[in-house]
Amino acid sequence: MINLLICFSSQTFDKILIANRGEIALHLPQHTIIYTHINTIHDEAVCVGSAPTSKSYLNMDAIMDAIRVTGAQAVHPGYGFLSENKDFAKRLAAEGVTFIGPDTHAILAMGDKIESKLIAKAAKVNTIPGFDGVVKTAEEAVKIAQDIGYPVMIKASAGGGGKGMRIAWNDEETREGFRFSSQEAESSFGDDRLLIEKYIDNPRHIEIQVLADKHGNALWLNERECSIQRRNQKVVEEAPSTFLDQDTRQAMGEQAVQLAKAVQYSSAGTVEFLVDSKKNFYFLEMNTRLQVEHPITECITGLDLVEQMIRVAKGYRLQHKQEDIPINGWAIESRIYAEDPYKSFGLPSIGRLSEYQEPLNLKNVSVRVDSGIEEGSDISIYYDPMISKLVTYGATRGEALARMEDALDNYVIRGVTHNISLLREIITHPRFISGDISTNFLPEVYPDGFKGHQLEAGKRRELLASAAALYVTVQLRSQKVLSPTPVERSHWELCVQLGEGCYAVEVVKSGNVYNVEVDGGTVEVSGQWNLASPLLPLSINGTQRMLQVNANTYTHNLGFFGVLSKLAAQLNSYMPEKVPEDTSSILRSPMPGTVVAMSVKPGDTVAEGQEICVIEAMKMQNSLTAVKQAKVKSVQCKPGETVGEGDLLVELE
Amino acid sequence: MAAFSVARRSRGLINGLKVSFRSSGQLKHGAVAAPLLQTSLHRDSRWYSAGHLSVKERIEAKRRAALAGGGQARIDAQHKRGKLTARERIDLLLDTDSFVETDMFVEHRCSDFGMEQDKNKVTHLPEVIFYFFNIIFCLCLFCFSQDFTVFGGSLSGAHAQKICKIMDQAMKVGAPVIGLNDSGGARIQEGVESLAGYADIFLRNVMASGVIPQISLIMGPCAGGAVYSPALTDFTFMVKDTSYLFITGPDVVKSVTNEDVTQEELGGAKTHTSVSGVAHHAFENDVDALLNLREFFTFLPLSNQDPAPIRECHDPSDRLVRSLETIVPLESTKAYDMLEIIKAIVDEKDFFEIMPNYAKNIVVGFARMNGRTVGIVGNQPKVASDEYVVLTPPPPFCCLDINSSVKGARFVRFCDAFNIPIITFVDVPGFLPGTAQEYGGIIRHGAKLLFAFAEATVPKITIITRKAYGGAYDVMSSKHLRGDVNYAWPTAEVAVMGAKGAVQIIFRGKDNQAEAEAEYVEKFANPFPAAVRGFVDDIIEPSTTRKLICSNLEVLARKKQVNPWKKHANIPL
């Protein structure tokens, strides 16, 4: 099913340069890849500069040099940055190098959000009501928003996806959104134009994959459901959608193809729609590039999109007809991000991947992991925080979801905070399973933010029992030193701390089975106890479960897994609580990033909720505000400075 | 009340009998004595005369009194301070029911200054608890625990005698001694007897040094002469916020030097683990400290006659560590974290760092390789030497300085004394220049590290990860100092100094400095000059480091090397 490696023959190109972080490159062996200092090196590599994005991938001169040096005949632009950049495509054309993607005029037409809507309208594609024009000042933005009627959405014209996109419900938010979006547009795209349009409340984001050749043929390769988003960036995608019936699918597909033909599109592209609860759909935009989530379409259609793009670029006709495009089975993609899901469903985190293990053991059962990183890689503040995309496939949706659950449980990432816990919650949530989702899924399901998995009693028992059994295993192992008389104990009374609670646990070991009396029930735990592995497969009451163990806390940390002997737990109650820092009068950076703006100086008085400074990390700008009214005592950073998570920014009095 | 009455009954034989008689006859000394007497009258026929306690009863009563320590009020006060009692600490430290207590009956012998009569003081109770033949994870050790609830844990002659006794026993059988210190200092009332007690302990500390591991855990005040016992032991651990070590307290400091300083600033855990280097580790609280001490103990051999312990290991010895291939940055001036290398290589990422907050430019600590305890020494490129922290521009990375040399030297000597193989990770651009260092005696302090590595006869494996420049190359367990296996990573640079400095000297006054520098880099900024001379045994792929160290240690376990006979060496102290 999953056939990724592309066969290169003389029919296509000898050498393709891939200007990307490397995920795509993993599937294209023996070709030249651009890399920056930050990323890993593949094959023949060309360095295009140090990390900040405007200096590296966006540095077209360096990339053009790289093409000359390597003698590449074609360039695959990857997913972002250059993939939809008209100037880049033009310059390639001037050098006689093939751009693996659509022609410049299509990029131009579709890259411009305003023009694209006009074209779409002309091509009889449903478009969003209240559509308007380019915006130059905040006041103009407010006026336009008022004309359309709130809520409105503000975003950078040049940016794809959710980048720089903000929703405003009133004039004030419009001004703020305008300021942020234009700044972001400037910093990421070097183009500060904006777009304001009617915001459809509670919509689904469903997109159609199209594929067109240079001979006027175009296909629609079914839809992808991308409604699960946070801050307008996709988190979980699936194909097909549970929501669409065949008629709607066909109608959307045909409109997508009409649009592609209207701009003489060639190569792979994506037409994004918003779909409301009555299955009305509206054209959102067209992405003239390969998208991150393309593998799920590959899974259900059996087509290799990268291969198709290369064929099309070389001038071949499409190999398939519309009736050849099937929906076989179901595919889910989870985006594994280096971010902390407990903060606004994901604020960037950085670090070095001290341990990284993809769920390889499951790969033979339709699990695919595309990543551009490996153990030892640095996750820096300069790029998208995506670690990888994890795709599972199954004959049914249930099978694909079960595999996803397994794969997430088996995914080992240490050294950076990641969002696997959130992903697992999403794909096992009853609303998700029933298909009752919208782009507001996360804020609706977790109105107070994501707090981690809430254990019900049975699961909690299992967890407590596993922790106790693991503790005992570690204790017993400590005896296995060159010791004359190891005493084989078989009974322990322990206390397991979980969250705020402390649970009394009794463990009885018989052979290799631990019977754990906990929380009013007995749990039987057994397994192969490999204390060196981050993955601990256990049989708990006869059910196979995969536990992740953070090896860094094995020792030298009080309360290994929060397990203490009964005595230690008793005595622990005498230990004084350490006085925590008063956090209301200091502002620390919630994430690593760069200080973009500092709005206060010492001596200023700030009101509650007033912006103090703006931190940019991984291309997102985050405004930090005061939690109370206070006078600014000191400012510990200045714009342009790089700060780490937890660094002191501003002290209040 | 109860404790008091029992105590008074238990003085010397004649006196005790008299008192017991009186107290039991009048039945006014509390609930403990009365029911004890009644029930035992029926049970036990071995009593001397009507109204007298039988010996067995007296033993029972006395044990009970001893277990009560300084009484409930004092125990509560101890808990209120966030401290555990001597017995609770022992219970937590040792395996359940594994200990044998001795000298429960020893009492102090002083009757001056009202020590006899003072009813506010609980007299004649064991004031130090010590356990004979105790067990942690089935390993035996000796341990004493000072009881702050009895005379503030102050050291009497009898108190010292008990400590000396277990140290003698420990030496006899060759097992470690752990001291849990919580003492107000010398028992002033006893005068010279208390001082003599200290000296007796010091002598035993010195005699035991290098024979059995000695560990001090400071869990309360430890002031005056008392500090020298922990100072003589191999490791001194402290508990944050509740333990202090100083020669003279804040009051005396104020009167002598007119400095205002708090106990915590003067001798708290933070001071000693980050500024003075007196203590090797600080823990959050008593429970944390004791549980960590249990873990720490599993790294140590019982004595210098035992090999480094080997624990069951689940981490494959031939595991390839791919993340190491990219850890050393391409730019040779860029920092990286040596701890990451260490944790990635050792068993299960389990590294017990010694002195993590002092002289951070060198990392030392214990870990295991394929189950066997090893000592790890590594330069830390992430951290500039303490002295440089305040200076701008940023300093050369991880130079050896006075503090790091002394820290490293002491650790290496411990490992050597107790048969623990030493693995050294080298990335050092040299010794730290400057007047502060020269005036401070970097020459003789640096010599300590050199001395320690050179005299060590345990297996020594060295990995040069990046820079090994100048004298620091020699010092860091080089081949020339009897390194058994010396490896270089492809990123290694072994040279007399960095390219810039070298070119300035060799080509002084010439114009083509840049060209010369490039030539120098080409020639020396790589592992080949050392490899062609056999000064490194191999240039290895970083990912294979763990595998190679494990297999080398297996072979080197058979290593036997003896230094020439001497009374003792004369390390440049």
Side-chain angles (χ1 to χ4, degrees):
Chain A
M1 184 65 228
I2 297 171
N3 169 26
L4 295 169
L5 293 180
I6 297 158
C7 281
F8 285 97
S9 64
S10 54
Q11 288 183 320
T12 56
F13 306 97
D14 295 330
K15 207 168 200 180
I16 299 175
L17 183 136
I18 297 162
N20 201 67
R21 272 209 293 168
E23 290 160 65
I24 291 181
L26 289 182
H27 301 295
L28 303 172
Q30 291 151 25
H31 290 272
T32 301
I33 291 155
I34 279 197
Y35 81 106
T36 65
H37 288 315
I38 299 297
N39 288 303
T40 51
I41 303 164
H42 295 275
D43 305 328
E44 197 179 332
V46 183
C47 179
V48 289
S50 55
T53 47
S54 60
K55 289 189 193 144
S56 53
Y57 292 134
L58 281 182
N59 187 340
M60 263 181 250
D61 293 336
I63 292 172
M64 297 311 293
D65 282 346
I67 291 165
R68 278 187 285 269
V69 168
T70 56
Q73 299 155 319
V75 171
H76 194 300
Y79 304 128
F81 299 119
L82 295 172
S83 60
E84 294 179 316
N85 188 306
K86 52 190 190 268
D87 299 332
F88 184 56
K90 267 186 200 159
R91 284 185 65 172
L92 288 180
E95 298 265 337
V97 177
T98 309
F99 177 78
I100 301 180
D103 294 338
T104 315
H105 68 88
I107 296 177
L108 270 172
M110 291 295 112
D112 187 314
K113 300 295 179 283
I114 294 145
E115 198 191 338
S116 72
K117 301 228 162 154
L118 296 174
I119 295 171
K121 239 178 201 165
K124 299 203 163 36
V125 176
N126 306 348
T127 52
I128 296 176
F131 167 71
D132 215 308
V134 176
V135 193
K136 294 227 161 52
T137 68
E139 287 321 304
E140 196 185 337
V142 169
K143 189 173 170 298
I144 293 165
Q146 282 168 348
D147 288 347
I148 298 168
Y150 287 109
V152 296
M153 184 175 70
I154 305 168
K155 65 189 284 184
S157 292
K163 300 244 171 69
M165 178 157 100
R166 273 159 216 275
I167 292 147
W169 297 77
N170 53 45
D171 294 353
E172 191 43 46
E173 287 176 7
T174 305
R175 285 190 197 99
E176 196 183 330
F178 169 80
R179 191 158 53 86
F180 272 116
S181 300
S182 50
Q183 274 178 20
E184 255 175 30
E186 174 70 40
S187 72
S188 274
F189 308 104
D191 177 349
D192 61 353
R193 286 179 311 145
L194 291 185
L195 172 75
I196 303 178
E197 64 185 20
K198 175 82 177 174
Y199 173 64
I200 294 172
D201 205 7
N202 229 24
R204 282 167 180 267
H205 178 126
I206 298 175
E207 59 191 29
I208 301 284
Q209 175 73 54
V210 294
L211 180 65
D213 64 18
K214 293 181 174 174
H215 307 279
N217 304 308
L219 298 170
W220 49 276
L221 308 181
N222 300 313
E223 79 280 9
R224 291 189 290 261
E225 164 76 76
C226 309
S227 297
I228 305 290
Q229 305 185 346
R230 56 117 184 80
R231 296 197 304 274
N232 293 311
Q233 281 187 290
K234 296 161 190 167
V235 180
V236 176
E237 298 107 334
E238 63 182 311
S241 166
T242 55
F243 190 61
L244 296 191
D245 50 52
Q246 190 53 36
D247 289 348
T248 316
R249 176 175 297 127
Q250 186 157 351
M252 288 171 76
E254 282 168 1
Q255 287 198 7
V257 165
Q258 283 164 28
L259 179 62
K261 287 183 172 168
V263 288
Q264 288 98 51
Y265 196 84
S266 66
S267 191
T270 300
V271 182
E272 296 188 347
F273 292 97
L274 283 185
V275 182
D276 69 16
S277 52
K278 300 190 178 57
K279 293 190 176 130
N280 297 314
F281 56 91
Y282 306 101
F283 170 70
L284 196 59
E285 61 180 32
M286 181 170 188
N287 292 319
T288 56
R289 58 181 159 91
L290 192 66
Q291 281 189 286
V292 172
E293 60 271 26
H294 75 274
I296 54 176
T297 296
E298 296 183 337
C299 284
I300 61 163
T301 59
L303 262 66
D304 185 322
L305 288 175
V306 178
E307 183 193 3
Q308 295 301 325
M309 284 176 84
I310 295 168
R311 281 181 51 87
V312 166
K314 188 76 181 172
Y316 291 104
R317 283 172 185 277
L318 292 182
Q319 292 168 305
H320 305 86
K321 296 199 166 52
Q322 188 62 49
E323 54 270 27
D324 299 338
I325 307 301
I327 298 183
N328 282 330
W330 215 284
I332 318 269
E333 176 180 282
S334 294
R335 297 196 189 188
I336 315 288
Y337 284 114
E339 57 184 24
D340 184 348
Y342 299 94
K343 296 178 184 166
S344 315
F345 303 113
L347 285 189
S349 72
I350 56 166
R352 189 169 178 277
L353 285 172
S354 57
E355 206 167 0
Y356 181 76
Q357 198 177 307
E358 292 171 357
L360 291 170
N361 47 335
L362 302 173
K363 270 196 171 161
N364 54 353
V365 286
S366 304
V367 176
R368 161 174 164 181
V369 185
D370 288 3
S371 65
I373 48 150
E374 58 192 8
E375 194 166 289
S377 290
D378 266 320
I379 305 285
S380 76
I381 58 173
Y382 303 116
Y383 292 97
D384 259 341
M386 197 166 78
I387 294 174
S388 75
K389 48 194 189 193
L390 174 63
V391 179
T392 60
Y393 174 75
T396 63
R397 186 165 183 259
E399 194 174 69
L401 282 175
R403 282 174 182 164
M404 179 58 77
E405 204 179 321
D406 254 9
L408 289 172
D409 285 350
N410 280 276
Y411 210 131
V412 178
I413 301 170
R414 301 284 184 273
V416 294
T417 315
H418 54 77
N419 67 335
I420 285 181
S421 55
L422 175 64
L423 293 170
R424 198 183 189 287
E425 283 296 289
I426 293 170
I427 61 142
T428 55
H429 195 279
R431 266 190 65 181
F432 181 84
I433 290 172
S434 69
D436 173 22
I437 56 174
S438 76
T439 53
N440 300 325
F441 178 83
L442 287 176
E444 275 173 25
V445 172
Y446 310 102
D448 304 322
F450 179 59
K451 303 265 188 266
H453 184 69
Q454 303 303 310
L455 289 168
E456 39 91 12
K459 283 270 173 60
R460 187 177 60 206
R461 257 202 299 278
E462 290 185 7
L463 183 63
L464 293 170
S466 311
L470 181 55
Y471 173 83
V472 167
T473 309
V474 172
Q475 295 293 307
L476 285 177
R477 199 267 298 261
S478 290
Q479 290 188 358
K480 293 182 184 160
V481 188
L482 289 178
S483 159
T485 50
V487 184
E488 192 66 8
R489 268 175 85 185
S490 61
H491 180 254
W492 290 263
E493 287 185 32
L494 305 171
C495 281
V496 186
Q497 287 164 329
L498 183 64
E500 297 294 301
C502 189
Y503 301 83
V505 172
E506 249 184 278
V507 184
V508 177
K509 181 175 189 263
S510 52
N512 284 324
V513 178
Y514 294 100
N515 284 295
V516 187
E517 192 87 34
V518 50
D519 215 6
T522 305
V523 181
E524 192 184 282
V525 184
S526 63
Q528 295 294 320
W529 300 93
N530 184 331
L531 297 177
S533 167
L535 292 174
L536 196 59
L538 293 183
S539 163
I540 302 175
N541 283 340
T543 313
Q544 289 300 322
R545 299 230 181 257
M546 182 62 78
L547 271 75
Q548 296 237 351
V549 182
N550 192 345
N552 289 328
T553 57
Y554 253 22
T555 47
H556 324 316
N557 233 334
L558 171 61
F560 162 65
F561 300 114
V563 185
L564 294 172
S565 68
K566 200 174 162 191
L567 176 73
Q570 278 164 6
L571 296 179
N572 215 20
S573 64
Y574 293 125
M575 295 298 108
E577 296 241 342
K578 303 278 166 176
V579 184
E581 191 175 50
D582 176 15
T583 51
S584 66
S585 59
I586 48 170
L587 182 70
R588 291 186 182 280
S589 178
M591 76 213 109
T594 314
V595 181
V596 188
M598 174 58 69
S599 317
V600 297
K601 56 183 187 302
D604 287 1
T605 304
V606 289
E608 184 184 330
Q610 187 184 330
E611 178 187 294
I612 291 181
C613 65
V614 179
I615 304 282
E616 181 179 286
M618 291 167 173
K619 299 182 297 178
M620 280 296 295
Q621 293 201 345
N622 301 273
S623 165
L624 305 182
T625 55
V627 292
K628 62 173 187 189
Q629 184 181 339
K631 206 167 163 191
V632 177
K633 192 172 164 194
S634 69
V635 173
Q636 305 285 350
C637 62
K638 47 183 184 291
E641 219 169 89
T642 306
V643 292
E645 183 177 343
D647 280 5
L648 184 63
L649 302 175
V650 169
E651 270 185 294
L652 303 176
E653 272 176 5
Chain B
M1 191 60 188
F4 175 53
S5 66
V6 175
R8 283 190 55 190
R9 266 186 278 113
S10 56
R11 222 167 300 160
L13 183 64
I14 306 292
N15 195 13
L17 283 173
K18 195 171 72 195
V19 174
S20 320
F21 175 74
R22 210 172 32 198
S23 62
S24 56
Q26 294 168 357
L27 280 180
K28 65 172 189 184
H29 282 287
V32 176
L36 178 82
L37 186 69
Q38 284 166 357
T39 52
S40 53
L41 271 175
H42 299 290
R43 241 192 2 242
D44 200 327
S45 58
R46 286 195 57 198
W47 46 285
Y48 294 92
S49 61
H52 283 199
L53 289 169
S54 70
V55 170
K56 189 166 178 191
E57 283 162 354
R58 286 170 53 204
I59 294 170
E60 285 288 313
K62 186 129 186 159
R63 279 199 198 283
R64 214 177 280 225
L67 291 174
Q72 196 56 46
R74 288 201 172 82
I75 290 174
D76 290 345
Q78 180 85 347
H79 285 159
K80 212 167 220 158
R81 281 186 212 109
K83 290 158 67 177
L84 300 179
T85 66
R87 263 164 224 286
E88 286 166 342
R89 286 167 178 166
I90 292 278
D91 285 348
L92 207 49
L93 177 64
L94 305 173
D95 289 356
T96 314
D97 296 332
S98 73
F99 49 84
V100 182
E101 182 172 350
T102 62
D103 278 0
M104 201 186 242
F105 299 100
V106 170
E107 301 170 349
H108 81 78
R109 300 176 288 264
C110 174
S111 56
D112 295 330
F113 302 109
M115 292 285 281
E116 181 83 354
Q117 289 84 24
D118 186 355
K119 294 191 179 177
N120 293 323
K121 290 216 171 88
V122 183
T123 54
H124 299 182
L125 279 179
E127 58 223 11
V128 57
I129 299 166
F130 99 76
Y131 290 88
F132 180 77
F133 199 72
N134 309 286
I135 310 251
I136 290 183
F137 291 127
C138 296
L139 295 166
C140 79
L141 75 150
F142 291 78
C143 142
F144 66 86
S145 176
Q146 293 176 319
D147 192 345
F148 194 74
T149 67
V150 181
F151 294 119
S154 63
L155 189 116
S156 67
H159 182 145
Q161 184 197 334
K162 288 175 79 169
I163 294 175
C164 291
K165 194 162 157 189
I166 69 150
M167 292 185 69
D168 292 342
Q169 292 282 12
M171 285 288 280
K172 231 183 281 172
V173 302
V177 173
I178 294 179
L180 307 181
N181 298 54
D182 190 357
S183 162
R187 176 105 27 107
I188 300 167
Q189 294 93 329
E190 289 202 8
V192 73
E193 193 167 353
S194 176
L195 297 183
Y198 278 125
D200 290 342
I201 297 170
F202 297 157
L203 176 69
R204 281 163 181 80
N205 284 138
V206 172
M207 288 299 113
S209 183
V211 181
I212 51 172
Q214 302 179 81
I215 303 166
S216 301
L217 177 53
I218 316 298
M219 310 187 81
C222 183
V227 298
Y228 283 111
S229 176
L232 291 168
T233 59
D234 298 304
F235 295 102
T236 304
F237 298 132
M238 293 182 80
V239 179
K240 286 181 191 167
D241 304 328
T242 51
S243 70
Y244 310 101
L245 276 167
F246 36 67
I247 298 285
T248 48
D251 296 343
V252 181
V253 169
K254 173 78 182 163
S255 68
V256 175
T257 67
N258 205 27
E259 287 171 292
D260 274 315
V261 67
T262 62
Q263 281 200 357
E264 182 65 33
E265 286 163 3
L266 185 62
K270 194 172 174 201
T271 303
H272 285 313
T273 52
S274 62
V275 181
S276 73
V278 166
H280 297 87
H281 219 300
F283 299 107
E284 290 303 318
N285 56 44
D286 279 16
V287 174
D288 185 39
L290 291 163
L291 294 183
N292 274 295
L293 185 52
R294 271 175 79 82
E295 289 296 330
F296 176 70
F297 187 74
T298 62
F299 285 104
L300 306 181
L302 297 185
S303 76
N304 63 357
Q305 299 301 309
D306 294 292
I310 301 175
R311 189 180 74 175
E312 182 183 284
C313 174
H314 295 178
D315 204 351
S317 64
D318 59 353
R319 172 168 59 88
L320 294 181
V321 193
R322 303 211 182 276
S323 70
L324 296 184
E325 297 291 347
T326 52
I327 190 152
V328 178
L330 298 172
E331 303 91 325
S332 69
T333 51
K334 219 170 152 190
Y336 62 93
D337 190 354
M338 189 60 87
L339 273 174
E340 276 200 55
I341 294 185
I342 295 169
K343 286 192 174 172
I345 286 177
V346 302
D347 289 359
E348 300 168 20
K349 299 188 168 55
D350 187 0
F351 178 58
F352 194 106
E353 191 175 353
I354 300 293
M355 301 176 100
N357 294 316
Y358 179 79
K360 291 195 240 179
N361 47 340
I362 198 165
V363 176
V364 301
F366 295 103
R368 294 184 179 85
M369 294 297 285
N370 202 16
R372 179 187 274 111
T373 297
V374 293
I376 307 263
V377 180
N379 304 115
Q380 174 57 288
K382 204 179 87 171
V383 179
S385 80
D386 295 342
E387 189 193 321
Y388 255 116
V389 171
V390 291
L391 298 181
T392 50
F397 291 114
C398 69
C399 279
L400 284 172
D401 60 358
I402 293 171
N403 290 349
S404 58
S405 299
V406 173
K407 171 180 169 182
R410 179 144 176 88
F411 180 77
V412 167
R413 295 195 94 209
F414 176 85
C415 293
D416 187 43
F418 291 100
N419 313 315
I420 297 171
I422 299 163
I423 297 168
T424 310
F425 293 94
V426 184
D427 185 352
V428 59
F431 282 98
L432 186 65
T435 51
Q437 290 290 314
E438 295 291 359
Y439 295 173
I442 180 69
I443 296 174
R444 65 192 173 89
H445 294 297
K448 290 175 185 170
L449 186 58
L450 169 63
F451 197 110
F453 271 122
E455 74 172 342
T457 55
V458 291
K460 290 187 282 193
I461 299 176
T462 307
I463 293 98
I464 301 173
T465 60
R466 194 166 60 181
K467 290 172 197 150
Y469 286 169
Y473 154 73
D474 285 339
V475 168
M476 294 301 292
S477 195
S478 64
K479 198 80 191 163
H480 324 287
L481 303 185
R482 304 192 294 186
D484 295 302
V485 182
N486 293 56
Y487 288 129
W489 283 5
T491 42
E493 306 167 17
V494 184
V496 175
M497 58 172 71
K500 204 164 191 134
V503 168
Q504 275 168 8
I505 294 169
I506 305 171
F507 300 94
R508 195 187 298 270
K510 301 253 173 68
D511 296 332
N512 55 347
Q513 299 258 321
E515 203 179 295
E517 207 174 306
E519 190 191 337
Y520 187 91
V521 167
E522 175 70 24
K523 209 159 191 170
F524 291 114
N526 56 60
F528 296 113
V532 295
R533 292 166 177 82
F535 298 160
V536 297
D537 297 297
D538 200 359
I539 302 169
I540 61 170
E541 290 303 318
S543 59
T544 61
T545 309
R546 172 178 166 81
K547 187 178 152 185
L548 289 167
I549 293 175
C550 284
S551 62
N552 282 321
L553 284 174
E554 216 53 59
V555 176
L556 289 169
R558 303 174 58 79
K559 175 184 176 185
K560 285 207 171 52
Q561 191 168 39
V562 183
N563 289 334
W565 187 91
K566 54 187 102 176
K567 188 173 172 194
H568 61 70
N570 188 14
I571 187 166
L573 292 172

